[in-house]
Amino acid sequence: MKKLRQMMVFMKVVESGSITKAAEKLELSKSVVSQHIKQLESDLDVTLLKRTTRKQSLTSEGERFYEHCCAIHQVAEQAWDEVKQQQIEPRGKLKITASHALMDSIVVPALSNVFKGYPNLSLEFIGHDTQLDLMQEDIDLAIRIGESPVSNLKQRRIGSFVDVLCCSKNEKEALLSRGLLPYVANNWQPKNIEHKLFNKHTKESLVWKPNMVHRSNTVYGCISMIKQGLGVGILPDFIFNEYADSFIEWLPEYQLEPTPVYVLHPYSGAIPSSVKMAIEAITRYLNDVK
């Protein structure tokens, strides 16, 4: 770092035409600038500048060294400008993870709408119903259902949804006739399921412990089994609304408690513009889609 600073001071002395003028532009004392040049020449064991009281000129070694200093300065300026530009126009790669349900119904449509006009940005989506390690997987953003344990990651609530207890419209009568109602569960649900439902009008609550018969590792498997009449199950309201022609609420007078949605990211300092834009877009879409 000391060498680079001395090289930049030397470059400024050459461009300014004198140590005095360079000191003014660098807002340093003349003696400090002069010491930098002396130390540089001593370390290199070469004379870079020929100086008199009225004039300075570069030696042949100084000319070549000055060219290298300018090249380094240009690279540094380019690196600075490119990173600053990323805060204005998203570019590079944005890697996002979310559960399958949130990914396909919320995240992908929200970010596709926002980032279509940014050709220098590459989106990478990872749909996964387990919580991936953001640092280990080099993930910029995670959208998760429920609050995560305390960690070094930054997280905040961005909205919520309500799971809807539903069944196939065409199969409700058949299910009612079976007696013990079969239940379709997702793998993330516990073995012993318990639902607390609230009356939409009186707020009276009831607890229902369903008979879990069928299970799937994705929301799409659950959708398919419910649609085929294998049982009842829960679907997020934004997915239930997508399948309004196929599904019907099992207990239309009751509803489950809202489920919070959180966003997590590993950035402790300045957040990249692409991450900021993604959070804003997902938040808007989540709250508008229902």
Side-chain angles (χ1 to χ4, degrees):
M1 292 298 293
K2 184 178 179 182
K3 289 180 180 179
L4 288 175
R5 178 169 175 76
Q6 290 173 343
M7 291 172 74
M8 294 305 102
V9 170
F10 170 72
M11 185 186 73
K12 186 62 68 176
V13 170
V14 175
E15 293 175 348
S16 301
S18 72
I19 288 178
T20 301
K21 291 179 180 179
E24 292 175 358
K25 292 179 180 180
L26 293 170
E27 297 183 350
L28 298 172
S29 68
K30 181 180 175 181
S31 61
V32 169
V33 174
S34 180
Q35 184 60 39
H36 275 308
I37 301 301
K38 288 179 181 178
Q39 186 64 51
L40 192 59
E41 290 179 325
S42 175
D43 291 341
L44 292 171
D45 193 23
V46 69
T47 299
L48 300 172
L49 281 170
K50 293 181 289 185
R51 297 182 294 277
T52 66
T53 54
R54 295 185 178 182
K55 187 178 179 181
Q56 72 176 27
S57 62
L58 287 168
T59 63
S60 58
E61 292 85 355
E63 288 179 359
R64 289 194 297 273
F65 191 72
Y66 171 69
E67 290 174 0
H68 290 306
C69 291
C70 290
I72 292 172
H73 177 70
Q74 185 177 359
V75 170
E77 287 292 300
Q78 183 179 354
W80 184 276
D81 291 342
E82 285 184 4
V83 172
K84 293 292 288 184
Q85 184 64 25
Q86 286 182 352
Q87 293 300 91
I88 302 171
E89 179 181 334
R91 59 180 60 206
K93 183 179 73 174
L94 179 62
K95 193 172 181 180
I96 305 156
T97 185
S99 67
H100 289 290
L102 288 172
M103 181 63 78
D104 288 355
S105 296
I106 303 294
V107 176
V108 172
L111 300 193
S112 296
N113 290 337
V114 169
F115 292 122
K116 281 180 181 177
Y118 296 96
N120 295 318
L121 180 72
S122 172
L123 296 172
E124 182 175 346
F125 297 121
I126 304 176
H128 216 296
D129 286 335
T130 58
Q131 296 186 356
L132 301 179
D133 188 307
L134 271 63
M135 300 303 293
Q136 184 175 333
E137 302 292 336
D138 191 27
I139 294 172
D140 298 293
L141 197 61
I143 310 301
R144 289 182 178 168
I145 296 171
E147 188 173 9
S148 297
V150 176
S151 69
N152 291 330
L153 298 174
K154 306 300 177 183
Q155 71 171 315
R156 68 180 175 88
R157 180 170 171 163
I158 60 172
S160 65
F161 63 86
V162 176
D163 281 318
V164 180
L165 183 64
C166 61
C167 67
S168 168
K169 273 186 178 181
N170 299 328
E171 300 290 337
K172 186 168 185 178
E173 293 302 322
L175 288 169
L176 285 169
S177 67
R178 292 188 189 180
L180 192 60
L181 183 66
Y183 186 88
V184 176
N186 198 303
N187 274 358
W188 58 262
Q189 293 179 269
K191 183 177 181 180
N192 297 315
I193 299 170
E194 181 176 294
H195 288 312
K196 187 174 184 180
L197 300 106
F198 295 85
N199 188 290
K200 295 177 182 178
H201 306 291
T202 66
K203 305 304 179 184
E204 179 186 358
S205 65
L206 64 87
V207 176
W208 178 49
K209 298 179 180 180
N211 174 37
M212 196 277 290
V213 177
H214 309 292
R215 188 177 286 273
S216 174
N217 68 332
T218 71
V219 68
Y220 305 108
C222 292
I223 290 171
S224 183
M225 286 193 284
I226 296 170
K227 192 173 182 179
Q228 296 302 319
L230 287 179
V232 301
I234 57 170
L235 295 176
D237 52 10
F238 52 83
I239 290 182
F240 175 82
N241 293 335
E242 288 183 35
Y243 291 85
D245 293 337
S246 301
F247 296 139
I248 188 171
E249 290 187 58
W250 181 255
L251 297 173
E253 295 296 315
Y254 287 82
Q255 68 178 24
L256 292 159
E257 290 184 290
T259 300
V261 178
Y262 285 79
V263 61
L264 292 87
H265 64 78
Y267 298 97
S268 57
I271 304 174
S273 61
S274 57
V275 175
K276 287 182 182 178
M277 291 175 65
I279 294 173
E280 292 170 2
I282 294 167
T283 302
R284 285 196 305 269
Y285 202 94
L286 175 63
N287 290 286
D288 292 344
V289 74
K290 293 174 289 183

